Amino acid sequence: MSQQYPLKEVKGDAVCFVPGSPLFSVLMEPASFCYPRLTFLRSPYGQFGASAASSQDLAPWPQRLVTQRWTRPVDESPPAAMSRNGYFFEESGYLKCDMDDGCETKEETGGEELFDAVNNTVVSGDSIRFFVNVNLEVPLNAADENESAGCVLLHTSRKYLKLKNFEEEVRAHRDLDGFLARASIILDETATSLDDVLREMLKHFAEDPENMEPSCNFEKIMSTLFTDSGTPREGNVHLLSDTIQGVTATVTGVQYQQSWLCIICTIKSLQRRHVCISRLERPQNWGENSCEVRFVILVLAPPKMKSTKTATEVGRTFATMFSDITFRQKLLETKTEEEFKEALVHQRHLLTVVNQRPSISDGHKSHGSKPLKLHEFLNVGKGISDDIARRFPVYALDFTDGIIGNNKAIGKYITTMIFLYFACLLPSIAFGSLNDENTGGVIDVQKTIVGQCIGGLLYALFSGQPLVVLLTTAPLALYINVIRGICDDYNLDFSAFYAWIGLWNSFFLVMYSLFNFSLLMKLFKRSTEEIIALFISITFVLDAFKGIIKVFKKYYYSGRTGESYLEKAPTDAIPSLGINTTFLMNSSVSRSMSLENQTGTHDVHYGRETAVLSLMLMLGTLWLGHTLYQFKKSPYLHARVREILSDCALPISVLTFSAVGSYIFKEIEMSKFNYNPSESLFVLAPVQSLSIGSVMSAMGLGFLLSMLFFIEQNIVASLTNAPENRLVKGTAYHWDLLLVALINTGLSVFGLPWIHAAFPHSPMHVRALAYVEERVESGHIYETIVSVKETRLTSLVANFLVGLSLLLLPFPLQWIPKPVLYGLFLYIALTSIDGNQLFERVALLLKEQTAYPPTHYIRRVPQRKIHYFTGLQVLQLLILCGFGMSPLPYMKMIFPLIMIGMIPIRYNLLPRIIEAKYLDAMDAEH
């Protein structure tokens, strides 16, 4: 439906009626060219203005007014001066407002970008143009981003930029130093139009020998500064392409700082960045929001620059300085360029001093700045009582959240249970098989599954942080192997010695929890935690490659059947041919031999086929698992389907390639884990059979083991409770450590494998229960956790299903080939490095600077210092790997002490090499 409404063209005030909307008043400024200002007067819902109730009156209206497309009557042709996009016009008479929905949709899709940019640009022209504009949306926290004056910076794209922190962002000082080294300053510019001022600034560039650009066309730069580049100006708006302006959020709206303007531009032909500052002789009126401009800052930069060196970042540096009205007043009083430079340097000093404040950005280590005192450790049991007081009030919610209420998450719970079941069961099978080989069957797959089920259920029921996952891990498997070697060397009963070591370990853990030793974890910075986390990931990778190398040694280089046949075969069977008959027989005979099994006789080939298929299964499990894990970022299928596939990536990949290895290629023998059914799972260890000397030696080993438990348990809990995970129910480090000690007491006396908090399974558990958003900053995509469903149900059900899996032994669980388990290890290792800052900084060494993400440490720390710090972390990681993966068994026993030794390295050695403020910035969360 279309109606006609009169619009009177006037030189002063004009009133426009828009159907179905409030009354608008447009104040036209009498000048050679003007820019209209839209203000609300009255609506059917109440009075608009600066009153206290104005926000309530505006509530029925959308944040952005629906734009109406203005056209002329049907019988008239559009004038030449009318814009094609329909947002402005230059005509008097009767206009028609088209209210059709189709037109509205076309409006929003076709011209929204230009529409958004209009309100925040400078207009240069000779005629009045009317814009049906929108309100400027101010974020609620815009005034909080600058604690001093509530000022923020507004980019042309209507994106709010934070003021640059001169105390933290190192690039702010370097931008100013670079400008002062070859300053381009124009004082008391007499030009009055924006075009003339910019031409004078570019001319100043051209005449300056230090700023010469041999291949630069300054006329082309001049045209690039405006949106109508290369087009005639008649009938078009002459707008600046890219600007930054200071705005202040107030109760009544947004106030622009109209005395300065920062213009930024990216030019391909430039070789380096250029900045020019021009102080005008008189204030100039260049349109709305720029009515009294005295300073113009022009920033030119090439397109391929590091994320902290772009034209926008340089413009943000100078815009931050000019946002201070006192500083601008001082610049007006300067007489020479030297005084102007001194004012800039003084302003930098003020911004650096003002911004200095105690750093609280170190996330869950923010409380680490408070020194630990002795009485905190002598207050016995206080940490445990505080943990219980913190977690017990929300204990019931751990069972009902996501099940009862509005925000149900049953589907997410089901997918997480499936993921966690496989994430607990498969490592139990893998390490159970390894323990079976190392202990001669004393600790086997069956006992490992039973220990996982019992320990996991108890921890899920009574722990303070149920999102932490308990597992037997690779370091524990190494310890068990070393213990077996000691027992063989000294003729000790393995079950009794193992039980005593476990009991001493639990005793020390109880002492740690009672005397609040978990407070020491404040000393572990993020960098130290990430070194240990990356070490664990490397152990998974090495375990996988060790396993596949064993398969190749057994099947690819020395096939059993081929060897036995070749022993009987004559080596001179083909005397007349000069070829390697041994190679021919080894490669062909091994492919034609058959084995006889329980069900009858059928061809089961093993040899090089087994080795190659094992490699394919391992890599295939890794590929499919990681592809599905990243599938949520793809545009295919529905979002919910993508999320389910991503959450179930691990079980889908394991089941798929288990079927490939055990069914599709069933004629090829595959390496499977050993299964020896135990006569009795719960047999008390003969702890009384050991001598006093053996018990005391077990105490030493138990102490070293307790150090491993203490570090692993607390670091994994710390990574699980990291601030970026947005957990809200609190922590319980001391109580959880006590609970782990009690659980392992029972496991030790019955000869079951020990368990503690597992990385990366615990952070992956949190990730599976999280709602994640993707955000874009400077072209880089970041995933941010919005909220996490903190529940005990997923861990309870998963560990209960692990216990039921005893009914699936030996089949069908034995149909899972070992290479699939190796692929599982690689998948866990690959997904665990997601978000590891150490790994990201190592990757920076292989990237060009333009691809550096705008992370907090890139902004705050010089690039050379970042690489120094990364190198020192890698050196610590290599030392840790040297002890933890040493072929010498006793070297592996002391690597927990190496972890403890990283604390004095971080606090005493590294600050001598890198400034403390840079270390704190790289250890911060954001």
Side-chain angles (χ1 to χ4, degrees):
M1 178 178 179
S2 299
Q3 300 181 20
Q4 294 185 357
Y5 298 91
L7 179 68
K8 181 179 181 182
E9 185 181 16
V10 295
K11 296 296 183 182
D13 296 331
V15 178
C16 171
F17 291 89
V18 179
S21 67
L23 180 65
F24 286 87
S25 172
V26 182
L27 176 62
M28 300 298 186
E29 300 178 11
S32 58
F33 61 90
C34 301
Y35 191 90
R37 180 175 293 132
L38 303 182
T39 56
F40 290 115
L41 287 185
R42 190 174 183 82
S43 79
Y45 298 97
Q47 183 73 29
F48 292 99
S51 62
S54 59
S55 59
Q56 298 177 356
D57 296 334
L58 279 168
W61 293 87
Q63 285 289 329
R64 298 185 54 162
L65 300 178
V66 178
T67 57
Q68 314 296 340
R69 186 172 181 87
W70 293 87
T71 60
R72 293 184 64 82
V74 179
D75 56 343
E76 297 184 22
S77 59
M82 182 171 293
S83 169
R84 292 183 297 273
N85 57 47
Y87 290 119
F88 53 87
F89 57 89
E90 181 183 28
E91 196 71 24
S92 61
Y94 290 90
L95 301 179
K96 179 176 67 175
C97 180
D98 193 350
M99 298 292 292
D100 294 340
D101 292 339
C103 178
E104 224 173 83
T105 304
K106 181 179 179 182
E107 182 93 39
E108 293 181 359
T109 58
E112 185 171 351
E113 183 176 354
L114 173 61
F115 189 82
D116 284 348
V118 166
N119 189 47
N120 189 36
T121 48
V122 179
V123 182
S124 175
D126 300 326
S127 58
I128 299 175
R129 291 176 173 85
F130 181 85
F131 293 81
V132 182
N133 217 328
V134 298
N135 283 337
L136 182 63
E137 296 177 15
V138 182
L140 295 178
N141 60 347
D144 298 334
E145 294 181 359
N146 181 27
E147 297 176 358
S148 58
C151 176
V152 296
L153 305 177
L154 183 64
H155 188 254
T156 309
S157 61
R158 302 176 68 87
K159 179 179 71 174
Y160 285 90
L161 305 175
K162 288 184 179 180
L163 294 175
K164 202 156 229 181
N165 190 322
F166 275 68
E167 195 272 330
E168 293 183 350
E169 298 190 53
V170 65
R171 181 50 58 183
H173 296 270
R174 297 195 173 188
D175 288 340
L176 184 57
D177 290 339
F179 171 74
L180 295 175
R182 48 180 187 275
S184 182
I185 301 173
I186 302 176
L187 299 180
D188 299 329
E189 173 61 52
T190 58
T192 57
S193 70
L194 177 60
D195 298 53
D196 292 340
V197 171
L198 292 176
R199 284 193 178 91
E200 288 297 323
M201 298 176 78
L202 293 176
K203 182 180 178 182
H204 195 270
F205 275 134
E207 294 175 352
D208 190 347
E210 295 184 0
N211 291 333
M212 286 296 292
E213 293 281 353
S215 60
C216 186
N217 186 340
F218 287 96
E219 285 298 326
K220 187 175 181 180
I221 294 178
M222 185 65 191
S223 63
T224 309
L225 292 173
F226 294 93
T227 58
D228 57 343
S229 172
T231 60
R233 288 182 52 185
E234 288 77 20
N236 289 287
V237 177
H238 198 47
L239 304 174
L240 286 170
S241 299
D242 220 351
T243 63
I244 299 177
Q245 209 169 353
V247 296
T248 304
T250 64
V251 177
T252 58
V254 173
Q255 294 181 356
Y256 284 77
Q257 295 182 354
Q258 307 201 27
S259 62
W260 64 275
L261 183 65
C262 182
I263 304 169
I264 58 180
C265 187
T266 301
I267 307 296
K268 291 183 179 179
S269 58
L270 292 181
Q271 296 180 357
R272 62 184 184 183
R273 299 171 299 162
H274 300 277
V275 179
C276 181
I277 301 176
S278 177
R279 186 183 69 186
L280 307 184
E281 187 179 25
R282 292 186 178 86
Q284 299 299 324
N285 183 354
W286 287 338
E288 187 191 24
N289 306 329
S290 300
C291 296
E292 47 182 18
V293 178
R294 287 299 303 269
F295 297 97
V296 178
I297 306 130
L298 178 61
V299 180
L300 305 177
K304 288 192 175 182
M305 296 295 291
K306 187 178 175 181
S307 59
T308 55
K309 298 181 181 180
T310 60
T312 302
E313 286 298 313
V314 178
R316 194 164 70 95
T317 298
F318 288 93
T320 300
M321 301 181 73
F322 276 81
S323 63
D324 186 354
I325 187 172
T326 306
F327 170 65
R328 298 197 300 270
Q329 186 63 35
K330 288 182 179 179
L331 291 181
L332 290 175
E333 297 171 358
T334 58
K335 304 298 183 182
T336 63
E337 288 190 13
E338 291 302 321
E339 292 181 4
F340 199 95
K341 292 179 183 179
E342 291 176 2
L344 289 171
V345 174
H346 181 66
Q347 178 67 6
R348 172 175 63 180
H349 173 72
L350 291 178
L351 288 173
T352 304
V353 173
V354 167
N355 284 326
Q356 285 181 349
R357 57 185 181 273
S359 176
I360 60 171
S361 59
D362 196 11
H364 63 294
K365 296 291 180 261
S366 60
H367 53 282
S369 58
K370 181 181 178 181
L372 296 174
K373 297 181 180 179
L374 181 61
H375 70 84
E376 297 182 62
F377 299 100
L378 298 179
N379 198 346
V380 180
K382 184 178 187 304
I384 297 175
S385 61
D386 289 345
D387 291 342
I388 295 175
R390 185 185 307 115
R391 289 292 306 192
F392 186 73
V394 295
Y395 184 78
L397 296 177
D398 291 338
F399 294 93
T400 59
D401 282 353
I403 302 296
I404 301 174
N406 296 327
N407 299 321
K408 291 184 174 63
I410 299 176
K412 182 171 282 291
Y413 282 5
I414 292 175
T415 56
T416 304
M417 290 171 187
I418 297 173
F419 153 76
L420 196 59
Y421 165 66
F422 280 89
C424 293
L425 175 64
L426 297 179
S428 298
I429 293 175
F431 292 120
S433 178
L434 182 61
N435 289 331
D436 189 14
E437 297 174 4
N438 294 336
T439 63
V442 178
I443 299 177
D444 56 8
V445 173
Q446 196 172 6
K447 285 190 174 183
T448 305
I449 292 178
V450 170
Q452 174 62 42
C453 174
I454 295 175
L457 286 174
L458 290 175
Y459 193 83
L461 281 173
F462 303 111
S463 66
Q465 181 48 273
L467 298 184
V468 172
V469 178
L470 297 192
L471 283 175
T472 185
T473 60
L476 293 179
L478 294 176
Y479 257 76
I480 293 174
N481 186 28
V482 172
I483 293 170
R484 180 67 186 188
I486 294 174
C487 291
D488 292 340
D489 293 340
Y490 295 96
N491 296 320
L492 301 175
D493 183 86
F494 174 78
S495 298
F497 196 60
Y498 175 84
W500 271 113
I501 293 176
L503 291 174
W504 280 117
N505 168 57
S506 298
F507 169 77
F508 286 117
L509 291 180
V510 171
M511 292 297 102
Y512 299 157
S513 60
L514 289 176
F515 288 95
N516 311 317
F517 272 36
S518 290
L519 293 174
L520 292 173
M521 295 310 296
K522 295 180 180 181
L523 302 177
F524 277 83
K525 294 288 188 178
R526 172 176 178 152
S527 56
T528 308
E529 292 179 354
E530 290 186 336
I531 291 173
I532 297 174
L534 200 55
F535 165 76
I536 297 173
S537 299
I538 292 174
T539 59
F540 277 104
V541 175
L542 287 182
D543 287 340
F545 280 105
K546 284 180 182 178
I548 203 67
I549 288 172
K550 285 183 180 179
V551 171
F552 266 73
K553 285 182 177 180
K554 181 178 180 180
Y555 293 104
Y556 193 86
Y557 295 107
S558 59
R560 293 194 308 261
T561 307
E563 287 176 353
S564 62
Y565 180 84
L566 289 174
E567 289 175 359
K568 301 177 183 179
T571 57
D572 57 347
I574 316 177
S576 59
L577 298 179
I579 58 178
N580 191 333
T581 57
T582 302
F583 171 77
L584 289 175
M585 292 178 183
N586 190 36
S587 60
S588 60
V589 175
S590 62
R591 288 169 171 76
S592 59
M593 303 302 293
S594 61
L595 291 174
E596 186 173 313
N597 62 7
Q598 299 174 352
T599 59
T601 302
H602 65 277
D603 289 337
V604 179
H605 300 276
Y606 63 103
R608 295 191 171 184
E609 298 95 335
T610 299
V612 173
L613 181 59
S614 298
L615 180 62
M616 292 177 62
L617 291 178
M618 182 185 75
L619 297 179
T621 304
L622 170 64
W623 167 79
L624 181 59
H626 190 260
T627 301
L628 292 178
Y629 178 74
Q630 298 289 337
F631 194 72
K632 57 187 174 184
K633 300 179 181 179
S634 70
Y636 304 107
L637 304 181
H638 189 269
R640 181 56 184 160
V641 177
R642 295 198 301 266
E643 185 179 0
I644 292 175
L645 290 176
S646 178
D647 292 340
C648 297
L650 176 62
I652 290 175
S653 59
V654 169
L655 293 177
T656 299
F657 282 92
S658 296
V660 170
S662 298
Y663 182 75
I664 298 179
F665 294 97
K666 59 184 176 182
E667 68 278 4
I668 300 177
E669 182 191 12
M670 294 304 301
S671 177
K672 295 179 172 61
F673 65 86
N674 296 327
Y675 173 68
N676 300 312
S678 302
E679 296 180 359
S680 178
L681 292 174
F682 301 98
V683 178
L684 286 173
V687 292
Q688 71 281 358
S689 63
L690 291 184
S691 63
I692 299 297
S694 299
V695 172
M696 290 298 102
S697 62
M699 182 178 68
L701 294 175
F703 173 74
L704 293 175
L705 182 62
S706 70
M707 299 301 296
L708 174 65
F709 267 76
F710 175 78
I711 294 173
E712 292 272 0
Q713 178 70 33
N714 283 285
I715 283 184
V716 172
S718 179
L719 294 172
T720 303
N721 293 304
E724 59 265 26
N725 291 338
R726 301 182 186 275
L727 303 183
V728 297
K729 293 184 179 179
T731 61
Y733 292 98
H734 311 279
W735 167 250
D736 286 350
L737 189 63
L738 176 63
L739 182 60
V740 168
L742 298 177
I743 291 173
N744 282 279
T745 300
L747 298 178
S748 299
V749 297
F750 286 106
L752 302 176
W754 301 308
I755 59 176
H756 60 61
F759 179 87
H761 303 76
S762 301
M764 291 172 67
H765 185 202
V766 175
R767 192 80 172 184
L769 290 170
Y771 292 95
V772 181
E773 282 184 356
E774 285 189 349
R775 298 177 182 177
V776 180
E777 181 182 351
S778 300
H780 296 268
I781 300 177
Y782 297 90
E783 286 190 346
T784 302
I785 293 178
V786 179
S787 63
V788 177
K789 290 294 182 182
E790 301 179 53
T791 180
R792 299 178 186 270
L793 297 179
T794 53
S795 185
L796 271 173
V797 174
N799 285 285
F800 178 73
L801 293 177
V802 168
L804 291 181
S805 299
L806 289 171
L807 304 176
L808 304 179
L809 286 173
F811 298 103
L813 286 184
Q814 214 171 15
W815 288 346
I816 301 176
K818 275 189 176 181
V820 173
L821 299 179
Y822 303 150
L824 164 71
F825 288 169
L826 293 179
Y827 167 82
I828 291 175
L830 185 60
T831 53
S832 67
I833 63 177
D834 189 18
N836 188 295
Q837 195 181 104
L838 171 58
F839 184 81
E840 292 174 353
R841 281 189 273 106
V842 171
L844 291 181
L845 298 172
L846 306 177
K847 296 180 180 180
E848 61 177 348
Q849 290 191 6
T850 56
Y852 282 15
T855 56
H856 65 278
Y857 54 87
I858 293 291
R859 294 183 181 277
R860 300 178 187 176
V861 185
Q863 181 176 323
R864 184 178 301 175
K865 303 291 185 182
I866 293 176
H867 295 327
Y868 284 168
F869 183 67
T870 304
L872 292 172
Q873 278 189 290
V874 171
L875 181 59
Q876 295 177 72
L877 178 62
L878 293 176
I879 295 174
L880 188 60
C881 291
F883 281 88
M885 302 171 187
S886 171
L888 302 176
Y890 296 100
M891 291 279 284
K892 299 175 183 177
M893 302 291 292
I894 64 173
F895 84 92
L897 299 179
I898 306 300
M899 296 182 183
I900 298 293
M902 291 181 180
I903 296 177
I905 291 176
R906 170 61 181 82
Y907 282 90
N908 298 324
L909 179 60
L910 292 186
R912 298 176 183 270
I913 304 173
I914 303 173
E915 292 89 332
K917 64 177 182 179
Y918 295 145
L919 292 175
D920 292 338
M922 286 182 285
D923 275 330
E925 298 293 340
H926 50 75

